[in-house]
Amino acid sequence: MPVETSKLLVQVLRKIPLFRGLSPSQVKTVLGLCVHRTFLPGEVICQSNTASDEMYILLSGELVVATAEGIRVASLLPVTTVGEMGVITGQPRSATVEAVQASNIFVVQRGQFDLMLRDDRDLRAMVYRNIIDVLALKLNNDNVRLRDHQMAARRFEGRIAVFERRLREQEHRARLALDLLVQQGGGDRDELAARLDAQVKELVPHVLVVDDEPEFRRLVRQALPALAVVEAADGEEALRRVEEDQLDLVLTDLCMPGMDGFGLLANLRSRFPGLPVLAVSGYMDEEQVRGHDFDGFIAKPVSLPRLQELVEATIARRTGQETGHVA
């Protein structure tokens, strides 16, 4: 490695919290353990519930951290470490880390890292002190997030109480209206109630999620509790569901066996041109999809707030167009 490059990398590593306070010679020792690797977009760096036998130093690119259910919880930018706590504690990975851009990463093996700490007492003491500082900062940040979450939860609880009260009022009015309708026009009360329930259900937007992974379909269904979510495992099944159901939106994965998302889009555009279609993918980015006629794009692992926002906005636009209003 050229001397200038080595000096630059030493300066970079010394800025990482785990190595803060180390001398240049100690950082060079750490640098000697590093193996350079390049990860392409969509490539998994480490998987949840696997052994923490490596730690990673992100030099360039971007990574995402996702839970075992595929929920994106964080984005990582240079320069930062990944998996260092598992290497120190020996606990299995708690999340999956994946590249969203081409990323240059230094990989450090746990066994070599342990030997380095064992052989250099001063370095070991400094690293452990840094770990304590990092954990203290994370604990403080978690406390702040917990406080913000509790405040937001109280606000939502208040709004939910208002909605529940209004819902009870509307249910009471609906019962009175139904009784009045039966009294004035006759007819069977249960039959009229069933017809009204069917009409109300038709007012709920229907979303079709198309993906060959059942876990992802379940995730979308849970993320959209206010909508009627139906499922299809591939493009052919999706076309059958579109024929059978009155849908307001289709959310489709791009890479599926048989008919993929692009094939499904082409069929939907020719047969149901007014039906919005959103694309989702863990292997392509928004720029690669831009040339196609999708109404929006969501990257995997999905950000649930982004998913909810885009789905609701797309349905609102369609509703506004059908009623002649601008959403």
Side-chain angles (χ1 to χ4, degrees):
M1 181 183 300
V3 175
E4 292 301 321
T5 301
S6 178
K7 288 182 178 179
L8 178 61
L9 289 174
V10 167
Q11 293 175 3
V12 169
L13 294 186
R14 292 186 73 187
K15 295 180 181 179
I16 296 175
L18 185 63
F19 305 130
R20 186 174 295 127
L22 298 187
S23 68
S25 62
Q26 290 173 326
V27 176
K28 285 183 180 180
T29 301
V30 175
L31 188 58
L33 305 180
C34 297
V35 177
H36 175 261
R37 280 192 61 188
T38 298
F39 290 85
L40 299 178
E43 193 171 355
V44 173
I45 286 83
C46 58
Q47 189 80 37
S48 62
N49 299 318
T50 59
S52 299
D53 51 5
E54 294 177 338
M55 63 180 289
Y56 310 93
I57 303 171
L58 176 62
L59 301 175
S60 66
E62 183 180 356
L63 309 177
V64 291
V65 182
T67 65
E69 295 75 24
I71 301 174
R72 182 183 296 186
V73 294
S75 296
L76 302 177
L77 297 173
V79 174
T80 188
T81 51
V82 180
E84 70 277 13
M85 290 304 167
V87 165
I88 297 296
T89 64
Q91 296 295 315
R93 309 281 187 195
S94 60
T96 295
V97 181
E98 181 179 313
V100 292
Q101 298 178 7
S103 301
N104 289 297
I105 292 177
F106 276 160
V107 181
V108 179
Q109 295 293 327
R110 179 187 176 190
Q112 296 178 340
F113 191 72
D114 287 344
L115 287 175
M116 179 191 70
L117 296 181
R118 188 186 65 185
D119 293 341
D120 191 327
R121 184 176 60 184
D122 293 337
L123 190 153
R124 180 173 67 247
M126 186 68 69
V127 168
Y128 284 167
R129 189 179 70 182
N130 289 339
I131 290 172
I132 293 173
D133 292 340
V134 169
L135 290 175
L137 179 61
K138 287 185 176 182
L139 179 60
N140 181 68
N141 291 338
D142 288 344
N143 287 335
V144 172
R145 284 195 292 269
L146 178 60
R147 182 200 62 196
D148 293 343
H149 173 74
Q150 290 173 336
M151 294 175 62
R154 284 194 290 268
R155 289 197 298 270
F156 280 115
E157 286 171 358
R159 292 174 61 185
I160 290 173
V162 172
F163 288 140
E164 287 178 342
R165 186 179 70 251
R166 292 177 179 173
L167 179 61
R168 287 193 297 270
E169 292 173 354
Q170 294 298 329
E171 288 175 344
H172 180 64
R173 291 177 181 176
R175 285 195 297 269
L176 292 177
L178 185 59
D179 291 339
L180 183 60
L181 183 62
V182 172
Q183 292 173 8
Q184 292 183 346
D188 182 78
R189 190 181 192 283
D190 292 339
E191 182 181 347
L192 289 172
R195 290 168 58 186
L196 287 174
D197 287 342
Q199 293 181 11
V200 169
K201 288 182 180 178
E202 290 181 359
L203 297 176
V204 178
H206 284 61
V207 176
L208 172 63
V209 54
V210 189
D211 198 295
D212 57 322
E213 297 180 359
E215 284 299 312
F216 181 77
R217 302 199 302 269
R218 180 182 62 83
L219 174 67
V220 173
R221 190 171 62 249
Q222 293 176 344
L224 304 173
L227 307 180
V229 178
V230 293
E231 303 178 19
D234 53 46
E236 289 84 356
E237 183 182 358
L239 288 177
R240 292 195 295 272
R241 296 306 301 262
V242 175
E243 294 280 1
E244 297 168 358
D245 300 325
Q246 186 173 351
L247 297 172
D248 297 276
L249 176 71
V250 173
L251 173 69
T252 180
D253 190 27
L254 295 180
C255 299
M256 296 180 292
M259 183 187 298
D260 63 11
F262 296 106
L264 176 60
L265 176 69
N267 278 276
L268 292 176
R269 287 291 182 253
S270 64
R271 297 162 62 181
F272 307 93
L275 180 60
V277 183
L278 301 178
V280 59
S281 179
Y283 301 97
M284 303 182 70
D285 58 29
E286 189 167 7
E287 190 66 31
Q288 293 172 293
V289 179
R290 194 181 301 280
H292 300 271
D293 191 25
F294 287 103
D295 295 273
F297 175 80
I298 305 171
K300 285 185 179 181
V302 297
S303 165
L304 293 188
R306 164 66 177 160
L307 171 66
Q308 294 161 346
E309 177 185 346
L310 184 57
V311 167
E312 292 173 3
T314 305
I315 291 176
R317 283 199 303 271
R318 180 174 195 254
T319 303
Q321 291 168 357
E322 291 178 346
T323 58
H325 298 294
V326 178

